[in-house]
Amino acid sequence: RLQGALRAQAGMRSVVAALALACAVALASAQSQPSIGFKTDIAAAQVASAAASAPGSVNTAAATIGVNEKIIDSGVQDIAWVGDEHSDTVFVQSVGKMLYRSGDGGKTWVSQMHLLQKLTWQFHPSETIQAVTSMIKSPADPNMVFFTGDNGMHLLTRDGGATYEAVGAAEKLGEIRLHPKNTDMMLAAGLSERCGDRAAAGACYKRLFASLDGGKNWKMLHDYVVQFEWAHSMRNNMAGDYPQETIIYSALVEKKGTQRFGQWDHRVDLFITEDLFVNSRTIVKRGNRFLFTDLFLAIAQVDARAEHVSLVLSSDGGRHTRLVGMPYDIRQHSYTILDTSEGTVFLHVNHLGEKSKWGNVYASNALGTNFSLSLPYNRRDENGKCDFEKLQSLEGVYVANYYDNADEIEAADQHFIGSSSMGQDSTPSSKAAASKGGKAKRAVVTPVVRTVITFDKGGVWEYLNPPRTRANGAPIRCPAQGKHCSLHLHGVTDVFGPFYATESAVGMMMATGCVGDRLCFREGSINTYLSRDGGHEWYEVAEGSHIYEFGDHGGIIVMAFDERPVTSIQYSWDEGATWESYDFTTTPVLIDNIMIEPGATSTRFLVYGTRESSNAARIGAIFHVDFADLHQRACVGVDVPDSEESDYETWTPSAGPNQDGCLLGHKVQYVRRKRLATCFNGEELERSRELSHCECTEMDFECDVGYKRDLQGGPCVRDLSVPATAAIPMNCPAGATYMITDGYRKVSGDTCAGGVTHPGVPTLCPDSSWHHNLAPSRWILLIGSLTVAIGLCAVQYSQSVGSSRPKGWGPATAGCMRFTLTRIVSVSLWALQALRDWWSGKAGRRGAGSSGWGASGKPAFGGSMAGGSAGAPASAEYKAMRADADAEEETMPWDDDGALVPGEGDDFRFTDGDGEDGGDAAIDAAFADLGVSGDDDLLALPVGGAAPTGAAGGASQVPKLRAPRVAKSD
């Protein structure tokens, strides 16, 4: 009888829960507030029944979620977790430059400013620290953090903030670089006296200092430096057997005059010293800036006039270098290295200038020796941040935004400034806009930004499948048939929540955006989306823009509405199938971000934002939200997934729509928690993976240099705007061989075997004579010059005939004609060679077939991606630079806050200005705010900012960084 009564009671609970959930969904859809939805593949009653009957389920969250609140002076600027993976020590730097510390993961916070001021007063009574401008974590010791302060006072902790050491110097120092192996070794920059005192004698320039005893003593090493870093900060042991003291740096060769900050400079070389400047050697002439990536030391080299930038790579720490071959003869203003984690270098090249809104993304081969166009018109901002994101938990999956009507925007800008169109292959609408003439009024062109995804490292990009229903359950109706309709998501260049993924939440990604023919930017039209299968299928989980975070290996997701102040957050324990709301405060807060410890494996979140205080100033608020008691048990059965008694299942990601389980030529099987299992994974979960290889298909190949394909697939066809010599390696001596392909190369890191093949043909390297390496644009100039020479010879001959001298060829005329005829023969021989190369390449591609593919309006790379017109960006496309994109500007190396502007990806950036002095005001500002840090993975710099380039680069722990947002009133 007792068992029967319990079963009846459980059944009643299931019915009541199902009715309650149905009422909640109906109420949410009826209200004007943003609704939180559940996915269409799980019925409401089914979810409610499963939740009610599952062991350890909790229907009322209020009693099981713990919240602690801390009010600070202003908003959060930076957060740094320190110590090992089990440490609970967290530092927060506020926008007001105050420092706070928590020893319990964020539950309680203590201001450190009084302690730091007392310590610095004992060290230097006349000047105490008033502000902490940056936090720099040591790559050699997880408990060591360097804090840069104002007034030239800095502090250091070696035990996570239990104790501090004052670090002082005779000079005001910034740009701290901590050694990756020795905690006592540090580098720093300082400015000469003239930079801070306009009445001082001499010039303004940057100097390099070093300390070998933990900051107690500093020695000036070099002046007129531009950038510097410890060589052992290079990744994957590229430094090799270099001594620990080895420094890679760029500096002016001639040390005289005022140093120009924030510009490319042909007088700057890249050097290396292994003995603290007793001896130095040049790595790259005119090497202005450098970056350390997973695979290479990347160097930006300027030409002799500082007008053009080339990329130089070294895979052995600068011992040997090679110039990277780019497929297009177009101006390269700056680079952003987007990703190198999987053996491919994704390089964003800004071709237009400082104000450019887009650039081209190029993908390298496995050796990094040449690059082919992967995605044109990739969206960027002026700080070098790009809408390009890797799905961290899976191989080969990237999401990006691009401008689909970039040529129309260019044409409107050129029409306004009265110059020719920048687009070589413009659409009819852009040609019409350019043909109207006049300068009085700028044409209004609405940007068309679209989101694409790739499952094969950029070999093929495709649009995102739109969700079927809205968060409130209503169906999503796309525009009429024939009009583009897909899901478009925001990246880091916008104020809305960007696409975001963590390595521990396998296959999961969240973002904000909209469904339609383009990305939406108006508040009220933005919603929040989730994918749990690596980007194939997407679900709308909430109306409005939210910010979000994954915890417990994706077992719990927390998000908050961020368009206006709120008092509640939403969470899901079943990967977005259902969402519950929780009131975490009674006073509304404008949420800036939600964070978790770097591994994203715990159940404790930090929610922070700002609210108005009684005096109308905005103060900061940090909330520690703990979900540890949401469930009563830990998950079991990780060793026997898919069994009835296990809380886990197996899942295999796939690249293609047929879901064959192959991704980059192999099958990888992951173990993850079942969606409705009401349990916690735990921080120590280790996912098992099984690997098997697949047969090769066309998805395993990308277009080789000089070829392109439509956005959503099709064959690789010859890109006639790329010269035939582009496929020849930069280092190809006469007599050696290189491979000519039929337009395809296997994606770097792809392990497929058998099946489809695209073998190459060994080909002799050409003669290295001057005419084999001349770009097409230069050939136009050469032929024009020869034509002029022939004309001058003819004039000279006619004058000779018409004079009183004997008729015939004079010595000058004969010499002129001999030179001209020699050059004509040389040009003719080269033209025949180029024609032969072109024909042989064409014959080798006949089997590919270029007709009938992508003819249904699919965007083609290189031209307008809106209309499918062919033609990759060539030199003429970028020659007519927009006036505002070429504005000459000079700035000092630090911004007004003394900090780098965080961005997405690693960025080389300088302006094209040629001024000699930044001005007294700029010098004063630079000196006053000396002291910067950054993040080695977030290196979009303010103009002239010094880049932290290695593991010692900085301490920023903040993910989901986005464009600055104006705080909305409470």
Side-chain angles (χ1 to χ4, degrees):
R1 286 195 301 271
L2 179 60
Q3 290 176 350
L6 290 175
R7 282 196 298 269
Q9 187 178 5
M12 182 61 68
R13 283 201 305 268
S14 299
V15 173
V16 172
L19 291 174
L21 181 58
C23 292
V25 172
L27 180 62
S29 62
Q31 292 176 336
S32 59
Q33 297 293 326
S35 62
I36 310 301
F38 55 88
K39 298 184 180 179
T40 57
D41 56 350
I42 300 180
Q46 187 179 10
V47 172
S49 177
S53 59
S57 63
V58 178
N59 295 323
T60 303
T64 57
I65 300 177
V67 176
N68 297 83
E69 179 178 350
K70 172 65 178 180
I71 300 299
I72 61 176
D73 66 290
S74 56
V76 172
Q77 177 75 29
D78 193 12
I79 297 182
W81 272 261
V82 300
D84 60 26
E85 58 183 2
H86 301 292
S87 174
D88 286 329
T89 302
V90 190
F91 284 100
V92 159
Q93 175 202 355
S94 71
V95 174
K97 310 303 182 185
M98 300 292 103
L99 183 67
Y100 301 85
R101 177 183 180 271
S102 173
D104 52 13
K107 284 185 178 180
T108 59
W109 295 89
V110 176
S111 173
Q112 304 294 286
M113 297 310 298
H114 179 71
L115 177 63
L116 301 185
Q117 289 168 354
K118 181 179 179 181
L119 181 62
T120 55
W121 180 84
Q122 295 174 350
F123 183 79
H124 200 302
S126 61
E127 284 187 276
T128 61
I129 188 171
Q130 300 297 321
V132 173
T133 58
S134 67
M135 304 183 292
I136 307 167
K137 289 176 59 177
S138 168
D141 182 355
N143 289 298
M144 177 175 167
V145 185
F146 193 103
F147 302 95
T148 61
D150 61 345
N151 298 325
M153 301 301 298
H154 309 312
L155 295 115
L156 179 70
T157 179
R158 298 178 184 271
D159 50 18
T163 60
Y164 296 89
E165 306 171 20
V167 178
E171 303 284 340
K172 184 175 181 181
L173 302 178
E175 291 185 56
I176 308 298
R177 302 288 184 267
L178 305 182
H179 199 282
K181 296 183 178 181
N182 189 322
T183 57
D184 287 330
M185 298 175 65
M186 307 173 185
L187 296 176
L191 298 175
S192 67
E193 185 179 1
R194 171 67 179 88
C195 298
D197 183 3
R198 70 195 65 181
C204 173
Y205 52 85
K206 186 162 71 173
R207 299 185 288 183
L208 176 61
F209 294 81
S211 173
L212 304 181
D213 56 6
K216 296 181 178 65
N217 297 282
W218 294 85
K219 178 183 178 181
M220 204 280 282
L221 299 178
H222 203 69
D223 48 21
Y224 286 90
V225 295
V226 176
Q227 187 184 355
F228 55 89
E229 185 57 86
W230 294 110
H232 281 273
S233 294
M234 288 187 285
R235 305 167 193 175
N236 294 323
N237 198 34
M238 275 190 284
D241 58 357
Y242 282 148
Q244 283 194 357
E245 297 82 7
T246 304
I247 301 170
I248 295 177
Y249 67 100
S250 57
L252 282 162
V253 178
E254 297 183 6
K255 302 177 182 179
K256 63 180 181 179
T258 296
Q259 182 174 349
R260 299 189 301 178
F261 298 102
Q263 301 167 28
W264 297 120
D265 194 332
H266 66 278
R267 303 171 301 168
V268 173
D269 290 352
L270 183 68
F271 302 92
I272 186 170
T273 174
E274 300 181 24
D275 49 18
L276 296 180
F277 290 87
V278 175
N279 299 284
S280 296
R281 66 176 176 86
T282 303
I283 298 178
V284 173
K285 295 284 292 183
R286 301 188 307 277
N288 276 212
R289 298 191 66 80
F290 62 92
L291 289 166
F292 297 160
T293 74
D294 291 333
L295 304 174
F296 303 104
L297 162 61
I299 305 155
Q301 181 187 42
V302 302
D303 63 4
R305 299 179 62 185
E307 295 178 347
H308 186 87
V309 187
S310 300
L311 182 63
V312 178
L313 296 180
S314 173
S315 58
D316 58 4
R319 298 171 180 86
H320 303 88
T321 62
R322 60 177 179 270
L323 184 65
V324 170
M326 301 299 291
Y328 305 109
D329 180 31
I330 48 181
R331 183 174 181 269
Q332 301 169 44
H333 174 82
S334 61
Y335 304 108
T336 301
I337 296 180
L338 301 169
D339 185 64
T340 61
S341 62
E342 296 183 12
T344 296
V345 179
F346 280 103
L347 181 69
H348 177 107
V349 181
N350 172 13
H351 294 294
L352 294 181
E354 203 65 33
K355 304 293 185 180
S356 176
K357 298 178 181 178
W358 58 76
N360 287 347
V361 175
Y362 300 89
S364 76
N365 60 359
L367 300 177
T369 54
N370 56 39
F371 286 75
S372 60
L373 180 64
S374 178
L375 181 68
Y377 306 126
N378 177 226
R379 191 164 189 246
R380 58 172 285 132
D381 67 9
E382 61 183 25
N383 293 317
K385 296 190 296 183
C386 305
D387 284 352
F388 189 97
E389 180 73 19
K390 172 179 166 55
L391 183 55
Q392 298 291 339
S393 59
L394 299 179
E395 295 179 277
V397 183
Y398 296 83
V399 180
N401 284 334
Y402 77 97
Y403 281 91
D404 197 46
N405 63 336
D407 57 339
E408 296 181 20
I409 299 174
E410 290 174 355
D413 287 341
Q414 295 307 313
H415 168 77
F416 178 71
I417 64 176
S419 60
S420 60
S421 172
M422 296 172 63
Q424 186 180 30
D425 295 292
S426 301
T427 61
S429 59
S430 65
K431 291 180 180 179
S435 65
K436 293 179 181 179
K439 303 181 182 180
K441 186 177 181 180
R442 181 189 295 270
V444 178
V445 178
T446 302
V448 177
V449 178
R450 289 177 174 172
T451 303
V452 287
I453 189 170
T454 179
F455 300 97
D456 58 356
K457 285 190 180 179
V460 175
W461 293 87
E462 56 189 81
Y463 295 118
L464 275 63
N465 296 318
R468 295 188 295 269
T469 61
R470 298 200 176 279
N472 58 15
I476 292 179
R477 292 182 173 87
C478 281
Q481 187 175 3
K483 190 173 182 180
H484 179 90
C485 181
S486 63
L487 176 62
H488 307 284
L489 305 175
H490 286 280
V492 295
T493 61
D494 296 323
V495 299
F496 303 103
F499 20 74
Y500 175 68
T502 64
E503 187 174 0
S504 62
V506 175
M508 300 181 70
M509 176 178 277
M510 291 192 74
T512 61
C514 62
V515 175
D517 67 335
R518 68 190 67 185
L519 184 61
C520 307
F521 297 94
R522 180 174 52 83
E523 288 189 5
S525 61
I526 309 299
N527 298 314
T528 305
Y529 301 89
L530 167 73
S531 175
R532 62 183 298 270
D533 62 355
H536 287 285
E537 191 171 8
W538 291 84
Y539 304 90
E540 182 180 299
V541 295
E543 292 181 359
S545 173
H546 291 67
I547 195 66
Y548 23 75
E549 184 61 276
F550 298 102
D552 190 39
H553 303 269
I556 187 167
I557 309 171
V558 178
M559 67 179 180
F561 187 67
D562 63 355
E563 294 185 33
R564 60 176 177 270
V566 296
T567 59
S568 63
I569 58 175
Q570 288 72 44
Y571 68 93
S572 173
W573 54 264
D574 50 16
E575 299 181 1
T578 59
W579 293 85
E580 296 191 44
S581 181
Y582 175 68
D583 293 330
F584 67 98
T585 183
T586 57
T587 306
V589 177
L590 182 62
I591 303 297
D592 289 327
N593 206 348
I594 302 175
M595 289 186 62
I596 200 169
E597 45 77 31
T601 59
S602 77
T603 58
R604 298 177 297 173
F605 297 78
L606 292 182
V607 181
Y608 64 86
T610 59
R611 62 162 66 116
E612 288 188 0
S613 63
S614 57
N615 61 0
R618 296 205 71 84
I619 58 175
I622 306 174
F623 301 88
H624 178 272
V625 184
D626 190 354
F627 291 88
D629 295 329
L630 182 64
H631 299 312
Q632 304 300 317
R633 67 184 183 91
C635 298
V636 296
V638 68
D639 297 327
V640 287
D642 298 320
S643 63
E644 187 175 347
E645 62 272 15
S646 175
D647 291 310
Y648 293 93
E649 64 182 2
T650 57
W651 175 68
T652 301
S654 177
N658 56 356
Q659 299 292 314
D660 59 359
C662 290
L663 190 64
L664 287 180
H666 48 262
K667 296 181 179 180
V668 181
Q669 191 175 74
Y670 295 89
V671 175
R672 64 181 185 181
R673 198 197 69 178
K674 293 178 180 177
R675 195 172 190 183
L676 297 182
T678 54
C679 57
F680 283 122
N681 288 300
E683 297 186 21
E684 304 299 326
L685 173 66
E686 294 185 6
R687 301 181 186 272
S688 60
R689 305 201 313 170
E690 296 181 6
L691 178 68
S692 60
H693 298 284
C694 306
E695 279 195 352
C696 295
T697 67
E698 294 293 348
M699 289 287 293
D700 298 298
F701 294 87
E702 63 184 351
C703 294
D704 205 348
V705 176
Y707 293 80
K708 62 183 179 181
R709 66 167 23 130
D710 288 343
L711 179 67
Q712 292 182 306
C716 295
V717 297
R718 184 73 173 92
D719 187 347
L720 298 180
S721 63
V722 179
T725 56
I728 302 175
M730 298 299 295
N731 298 318
C732 194
T737 61
Y738 68 100
M739 301 298 290
I740 288 183
T741 69
D742 60 351
Y744 298 85
R745 68 185 184 194
K746 185 180 286 189
V747 174
S748 175
D750 194 295
T751 63
C752 70
V756 175
T757 60
H758 289 285
V761 178
T763 306
L764 284 173
C765 290
D767 186 358
S768 59
S769 300
W770 62 272
H771 53 270
H772 285 281
N773 300 305
L774 207 58
S777 58
R778 306 294 174 86
W779 275 107
I780 296 174
L781 180 62
L782 176 60
I783 294 173
S785 301
L786 291 176
T787 303
V788 172
I790 294 173
L792 291 175
C793 291
V795 171
Q796 191 171 6
Y797 176 73
S798 64
Q799 291 175 348
S800 174
V801 171
S803 66
S804 59
R805 297 174 55 188
K807 294 181 179 181
W809 296 87
T813 305
C816 178
M817 291 303 294
R818 278 196 302 270
F819 172 80
T820 304
L821 289 174
T822 300
R823 291 306 172 207
I824 290 175
V825 170
S826 178
V827 171
S828 301
L829 289 175
W830 176 87
L832 290 173
Q833 175 70 27
L835 180 62
R836 190 196 71 176
D837 293 344
W838 174 81
W839 181 256
S840 63
K842 180 178 179 181
R845 294 187 301 274
R846 287 175 180 171
S850 59
S851 62
W853 289 71
S856 58
K858 295 178 181 177
F861 279 3
S864 168
M865 296 178 68
S869 59
S875 57
E877 184 172 355
Y878 293 95
K879 292 300 184 183
M881 298 297 167
R882 290 178 298 170
D884 57 348
D886 267 347
E888 294 184 353
E889 178 183 1
E890 178 178 0
T891 64
M892 297 302 288
W894 300 279
D895 66 7
D896 293 337
D897 293 326
L900 299 182
V901 179
E904 189 68 22
D906 297 339
D907 188 31
F908 306 91
R909 280 203 321 115
F910 277 149
T911 64
D912 299 324
D914 56 2
E916 291 295 333
D917 197 321
D920 292 330
I923 291 175
D924 290 342
F927 192 83
D929 293 318
L930 180 61
V932 299
S933 75
D935 186 279
D936 57 320
D937 293 322
L938 299 173
L939 289 179
L941 308 179
V943 177
T949 54
S956 177
Q957 295 281 311
V958 182
K960 302 185 291 294
L961 288 167
R962 43 189 174 166
R965 180 181 58 185
V966 178
K968 301 175 181 61
S969 171
D970 290 346

